Amino acid sequence: MIFRRFYTIQSTKSTEELRNSLVGQHLKVHVLDFEVKELNGDVKIIPHAEDEDHIYTLPITRLRFGKSNKGTSIKMVSKPRRIDIGGPYLVMFFVVFSLLAGIMIFMFGQGKYNNTGFILLGLSVLVFALLWFRLEMGYFDYIRKIRNWVKEHV
């Protein structure tokens, strides 16, 4: 959905070389430790956030290896943990419903409630901008740093 990110990375190494070099490694992003594990045939980069209580949305990144002409093609998919996604989804529902309510007020309010429509539209844009800013500083920053780490190691 809106919080998933897809990337493709090319490597000259073979699939087995990549698995052997990545699995078991740890990387630090900010102060949080991420571990590279092999689960169900995929290589996953999973955060260790058991002791952290101030972190809100963290990504789980899955790496799938496929053969390409020059070596290996790595498909990287990052998505939020199930435990973390409730808050951003709730905020997105609020944004969508307030946006729809503002539009409906303009369409059916016959000009009597234009100020209310503007307030709802402005509120939805403001809340979405705040959500996106927070995600850029946290969740998407983790994804960028994980992607860069994977690029360096393949």
Side-chain angles (χ1 to χ4, degrees):
M1 198 169 157
I2 190 171
F3 302 113
R4 291 185 184 200
R5 292 292 177 256
F6 301 90
Y7 302 102
T8 302
I9 302 169
Q10 298 293 330
S11 176
T12 56
K13 296 180 182 178
S14 71
T15 303
E16 288 306 315
E17 284 180 284
L18 288 172
R19 281 186 194 276
N20 292 336
S21 67
L22 291 176
V23 173
Q25 288 195 19
H26 289 263
L27 69 132
K28 269 221 185 289
V29 178
H30 301 295
V31 295
L32 192 62
D33 180 48
F34 285 80
E35 184 178 2
V36 183
K37 293 182 178 181
E38 187 167 0
L39 299 170
N40 301 329
D42 291 335
V43 175
K44 293 190 177 184
I45 302 172
I46 301 172
H48 287 283
E50 297 86 20
D51 299 331
E52 302 290 329
D53 33 325
H54 66 280
I55 297 173
Y56 299 110
T57 306
L58 295 171
I60 291 179
T61 304
R62 184 184 71 215
L63 303 174
R64 284 200 176 155
F65 304 108
K67 298 206 183 287
S68 71
N69 297 339
K70 301 171 190 165
T72 305
S73 174
I74 303 158
K75 303 281 186 187
M76 184 174 150
V77 179
S78 294
K79 64 180 184 177
R81 298 184 307 168
R82 287 184 189 174
I83 194 169
D84 294 337
I85 197 60
Y89 275 163
L90 189 62
V91 173
M92 284 303 297
F93 283 130
F94 171 78
V95 166
V96 167
F97 285 128
S98 64
L99 188 68
L100 289 174
I103 291 170
M104 297 287 281
I105 286 174
F106 281 123
M107 288 174 54
F108 301 114
Q110 300 171 352
K112 296 178 183 176
Y113 306 105
N114 282 346
N115 287 343
T116 306
F118 284 127
I119 289 171
L120 283 173
L121 291 175
L123 184 65
S124 65
V125 168
L126 177 68
V127 169
F128 181 75
L130 289 173
L131 171 70
W132 201 259
F133 177 74
R134 294 266 307 169
L135 287 174
E136 280 293 328
M137 300 306 289
Y139 174 70
F140 292 127
D141 189 41
Y142 283 112
I143 291 174
R144 280 190 296 272
K145 290 190 179 2
I146 290 170
R147 183 189 65 208
N148 291 338
W149 183 86
V150 170
K151 280 184 179 179
E152 289 174 7
H153 287 80
V154 299

